[in-house]
Amino acid sequence: MRKKPKIKTEWNLNLLYKNEKDPQIEKDIRAIEKANKDFAKKYKNKDFISSPLKLASALRDQDKLIKKNLSSKPWWYFALRTDLDSNDAVAGARSTQFSQRLTKAHNEITFFKLKIASVPHSEQKKFLSHHLLFPYKYYLKKVFEHAKYRLSEKEEQLEDLLSATSYAMWVDGQEKILTQKTIKFRGKELPIGKAFKTIETLPTKPRRELHKEVNKLLKSISPFAESEINAIVNYKKVMDEMRGFKQPYSAMVLGSEMKEKNVEDLIKIVEKHFSISHRFYKLQARLLKEKRITLADRGIPLGKINKKFDFNGTVKIVRDSFNTLDPIYGKFVDEYARNGQLDVYPRKGKKPGAYSWGPKGLPTYVLLNHEGTIDSVETLAHEMGHSIHTELSKKQPIRYQKYSLAVAEVASTFFEQLTGDYVTKFLSEKEKAILLHNKLLGDISTIFRQVAFFNFELELHNTIRKEGLIPASQIAKIMVKHMKSYLGPSVDVTEDDGYFFVYISHIRRFFYVFSYAYGQLTSRALYEKLRQDKSFAPKIEKFLTAGRSKSPIDIFKDIGIDTSKKAFFEAGLRGIEKDIERLEKLTRVR
């Protein structure tokens, strides 16, 4: 009989360092600083691009440098501590300190990519086709594509340094305010993240009451968010203008290794089909026995799945569901639970939500806020999907590890769906209908809502670029406009609902949200292929191990899925509409 792994529910940061006084921290950062200086001494103002032979040698040395840098390990340790406790003043200070030192160290080698980007266009084909540079072909192709947006070395260094103050500190300050806030509700003090989760568990009257209290809190701290949003959007405007990006989203799309046309097509197609989400919310109103619902009712489940999932049981379900695809995936779940790479339960000061993240060469950590619900089970599956993607990408050469933002949500939503279907064996027929409804809640949110947020961001950036500065009340009005666009006439959205912009972290990452819609539609296609043909499983692994070795579109083309076609997205949206039709029949609502 297989021995159950001993589950740890708090991060074991000793995988990085013993504590903040660990002398290895300073040794590591000095090693990083020295490695970058030595590399710069060897190659700065030297010829390494006059021939493919010289460039190949320099790139091999850069591979060694990437490994020595250990992915900013000192900063990573203190950043994780800050996410566990926003009141950890030592971690906050050291995180900033090391971020600045590592940025300065990185600036030592800024010249290297800029020099490669200066290879004349007439010579680039020769470099891309040379056998010695074959392992670096995709990397070089990206460098050449980015070349026209590069600044001078000093300007690139200055942007890196200013980013830590003119962008990161604003965003960190806003997040810190949020994590410190609690809402008094019916005798309880609810951290804001907990309050959002609690709304969906309450009957109509207290649900709407708590929703209003959340809005009041967000509105009360909106003056800081107003300054923060205006500051970081104007910062981005300056940088975009200096680089020559035409659209506010151009930099994100290029960095995600996508083409602007593909992303624009995705946004337009989903927006064109907002009638699908309108149909869902019309059904949602009927299920709640209302003609019109409020924003507080948007995510209310069809009913309760009363079964509770303790964390041991959650780990077992996720592991077993992953094993149905291949035992290698379940093994990762056990390893993370055993090694202390999961931080499980919510507490005051801890960052809300969930994520999985791990720089190259370092352990990946998963942050959770487990509540014992079926949603918590799917959240673990989602974040472990990210983690598995990260781990398998390490099969690639060092510079091609990790993955593009465009595909970041594909693995996570795929494994979430795998677990979601597996968990139905524990449910009654009524609960299966509830789970289908929950799935649709997720699909609508991940695709239609995120496209609405993309459109919100675009109007926000264009308005601030035109007017220079706009008040929080105007930002809220723009948010309301775009929430209404995807929610449709069955959902009432108030002016105060617009202050939700204060809470949304993704809009601070500038146009990242398109990746949710792209990822969800792509993962649905992967899952459908697997459902129809179990022999498709090795192609799933091929995608997961691809890392950044190719563009997202080429990675999926290699396994038989063409995400460059409009028809691909339209087919995915039709699949969601069919699920709505199925739910209408199950609930006898016509």
Side-chain angles (χ1 to χ4, degrees):
M1 185 175 178
R2 183 179 176 181
K3 187 178 179 181
K4 292 181 180 179
K6 185 177 180 181
I7 293 176
K8 297 177 181 176
T9 59
E10 294 185 356
W11 279 342
N12 176 18
L13 296 183
N14 288 342
L15 296 174
L16 299 172
Y17 297 111
K18 295 176 183 177
N19 52 49
E20 71 265 21
K21 297 179 180 179
D22 190 333
Q24 192 61 43
I25 297 174
E26 186 61 26
K27 288 178 182 178
D28 283 346
I29 196 164
R30 287 187 180 183
I32 292 170
E33 290 168 335
K34 183 179 185 303
N36 281 273
K37 284 183 179 179
D38 290 347
F39 185 86
K41 185 177 180 180
K42 183 174 182 179
Y43 286 106
K44 193 167 186 179
N45 299 320
K46 306 288 175 58
D47 168 33
F48 58 89
I49 63 167
S50 61
S51 73
L53 179 63
K54 289 183 177 181
L55 182 54
S57 177
L59 287 168
R60 286 193 293 271
D61 279 349
Q62 190 192 32
D63 286 342
K64 296 173 186 175
L65 177 66
I66 294 171
K67 291 176 183 177
K68 286 181 181 178
N69 275 345
L70 291 175
S71 303
S72 309
K73 183 178 175 182
W75 167 82
W76 181 228
Y77 171 74
F78 288 107
L80 289 172
R81 279 186 37 173
T82 303
D83 284 351
L84 290 182
D85 182 5
S86 60
N87 290 313
D88 188 337
V90 171
R94 299 286 291 278
S95 175
T96 301
Q97 178 190 38
F98 286 127
S99 175
Q100 291 171 349
R101 285 180 68 179
L102 290 164
T103 298
K104 187 176 179 181
H106 174 75
N107 281 342
E108 293 277 358
I109 59 170
T110 302
F111 74 90
F112 189 74
K113 189 179 287 187
L114 294 174
K115 187 74 171 178
I116 297 173
S118 72
V119 171
H121 191 269
S122 59
E123 295 286 304
Q124 290 176 6
K125 188 175 180 180
K126 179 181 76 174
F127 280 76
L128 291 172
S129 61
H130 199 279
H131 71 280
L132 287 175
L133 292 171
F134 180 77
Y136 305 102
K137 183 175 181 178
Y138 183 60
Y139 168 78
L140 292 174
K141 182 182 176 184
K142 288 191 298 177
V143 171
F144 294 153
E145 285 176 351
H146 287 235
K148 66 179 179 179
Y149 303 110
R150 298 290 180 191
L151 305 175
S152 70
E153 182 183 348
K154 290 294 184 184
E155 288 170 329
E156 291 284 356
Q157 292 173 343
L158 185 61
E159 181 183 1
D160 284 344
L161 291 168
L162 287 177
S163 175
T165 53
S166 301
Y167 167 78
M169 283 186 174
W170 275 109
V171 174
D172 289 347
Q174 173 63 20
E175 289 186 347
K176 186 171 184 178
I177 288 174
L178 283 169
T179 59
Q180 295 298 310
K181 294 294 181 181
T182 59
I183 294 169
K184 291 183 180 179
F185 182 71
R186 300 195 170 189
K188 293 183 179 180
E189 289 273 350
L190 300 175
I192 191 164
K194 176 76 170 176
F196 272 111
K197 287 182 177 293
T198 302
I199 286 171
E200 297 176 3
T201 68
L202 298 172
T204 304
K205 186 177 178 180
R207 173 170 72 237
R208 293 176 178 177
E209 181 186 335
L210 179 55
H211 178 81
K212 286 181 180 178
E213 290 301 314
V214 169
N215 280 350
K216 283 182 187 176
L217 174 62
L218 294 178
K219 190 173 183 179
S220 73
I221 60 177
S222 66
F224 183 88
E226 172 190 306
S227 297
E228 173 231 7
I229 288 288
N230 279 285
I232 64 175
V233 170
N234 273 299
Y235 167 79
K236 187 179 190 308
K237 173 193 171 187
V238 171
M239 295 305 172
D240 281 353
E241 287 176 348
M242 287 180 67
R243 292 186 180 279
F245 287 117
K246 292 182 180 179
Q247 297 290 345
Y249 52 78
S250 296
M252 174 57 75
V253 173
L254 184 68
S256 300
E257 299 163 38
M258 295 284 284
K259 300 294 184 185
E260 285 192 24
K261 184 181 183 305
N262 296 130
V263 174
E264 289 165 353
D265 283 348
L266 167 64
I267 299 301
K268 288 175 184 175
I269 290 166
V270 174
E271 189 176 2
K272 180 183 174 183
H273 290 83
F274 273 172
S275 58
I276 294 174
S277 57
H278 295 176
R279 179 177 179 175
F280 174 77
Y281 287 116
K282 185 177 181 180
L283 173 61
Q284 176 78 338
R286 288 177 180 175
L287 292 172
L288 293 173
K289 297 183 172 61
E290 303 268 5
K291 288 185 178 180
R292 294 168 66 87
I293 58 176
T294 70
L295 196 63
D297 310 315
R298 176 188 66 83
I300 299 306
L302 179 60
K304 280 189 176 181
I305 295 178
N306 293 318
K307 182 174 177 60
K308 286 293 181 180
F309 301 87
D310 64 26
F311 194 66
N312 281 24
T314 295
V315 168
K316 183 180 187 307
I317 289 170
V318 172
R319 176 211 309 136
D320 291 349
S321 67
F322 286 12
N323 284 343
T324 63
L325 179 60
D326 193 301
I328 65 169
Y329 303 120
K331 183 180 177 183
F332 283 116
V333 180
D334 285 344
E335 287 178 352
Y336 273 54
R338 183 175 61 247
N339 294 343
Q341 289 173 259
L342 308 174
D343 198 273
V344 177
Y345 298 110
R347 51 190 178 272
K348 187 175 180 180
K350 180 179 174 181
K351 190 180 182 75
Y355 69 71
S356 166
W357 187 249
K360 293 175 184 176
L362 294 178
T364 297
Y365 286 90
V366 175
L367 181 136
L368 303 167
N369 280 277
H370 187 78
E371 301 283 352
T373 63
I374 195 165
D375 287 345
S376 294
V377 177
E378 292 178 330
T379 296
L380 177 61
H382 183 100
E383 299 307 336
M384 283 307 306
H386 282 306
S387 300
I388 288 168
H389 199 181
T390 298
E391 298 292 349
L392 291 182
S393 77
K394 292 175 183 177
K395 293 186 177 183
Q396 291 291 330
I398 189 72
R399 69 177 62 242
Y400 291 144
Q401 292 177 15
K402 296 291 287 184
Y403 37 82
S404 158
L405 283 174
V407 302
E409 297 303 319
V410 178
S412 55
T413 51
F414 172 84
F415 281 101
E416 181 181 344
Q417 188 165 355
L418 190 69
T419 296
D421 280 358
Y422 180 84
V423 82
T424 58
K425 66 164 63 177
F426 303 101
L427 307 178
S428 66
E429 289 303 312
K430 181 181 178 181
E431 288 173 328
K432 287 176 184 177
I434 293 170
L435 192 63
L436 174 60
H437 179 259
N438 288 348
K439 181 177 179 295
L440 279 165
L441 283 172
D443 284 344
I444 298 297
S445 242
T446 306
I447 298 170
F448 298 95
R449 185 176 184 234
Q450 297 302 336
V451 166
F453 282 168
F454 183 96
N455 290 335
F456 159 77
E457 278 193 77
L458 185 56
E459 184 171 349
L460 174 70
H461 282 249
N462 283 335
T463 303
I464 291 176
R465 288 181 177 203
K466 181 181 178 182
E467 300 182 17
L469 184 77
I470 62 174
S473 59
Q474 189 174 350
I475 300 174
K477 284 179 182 177
I478 297 172
M479 174 60 77
V480 166
K481 170 185 171 182
H482 291 287
M483 284 197 288
K484 285 182 175 180
S485 70
Y486 91 95
L487 290 165
S490 298
V491 184
D492 288 325
V493 184
T494 70
E495 288 185 10
D496 281 356
D497 286 330
Y499 287 93
F500 186 55
F501 83 86
V502 174
Y503 184 76
I504 310 170
S505 63
H506 288 127
I507 65 172
R508 274 85 177 165
R509 272 69 187 173
F510 303 139
F511 301 98
Y512 166 64
V513 292
F514 87 85
S515 68
Y516 285 96
Y518 179 86
Q520 186 77 353
L521 287 168
T522 304
S523 71
R524 280 180 68 97
L526 289 177
Y527 196 79
E528 184 60 23
K529 287 263 193 184
L530 181 68
R531 193 183 66 79
Q532 294 174 0
D533 180 8
K534 296 298 182 184
S535 68
F536 188 72
K539 292 187 177 181
I540 301 291
E541 185 178 358
K542 185 176 181 181
F543 147 62
L544 293 169
T545 58
R548 301 188 82 141
S549 60
K550 294 181 179 180
S551 73
I553 288 174
D554 286 341
I555 286 171
F556 293 119
K557 274 185 180 178
D558 281 353
I559 61 172
I561 294 175
D562 191 350
T563 65
S564 68
K565 303 294 185 184
K566 292 181 182 180
F568 168 78
F569 297 121
E570 288 172 340
L573 295 173
R574 282 196 300 272
I576 294 171
E577 194 160 29
K578 286 179 182 177
D579 282 347
I580 295 173
E581 290 172 2
R582 184 171 153 228
L583 183 62
E584 287 172 342
K585 290 176 182 177
L586 284 171
T587 55
R588 294 187 176 87
V589 175
R590 303 285 178 179

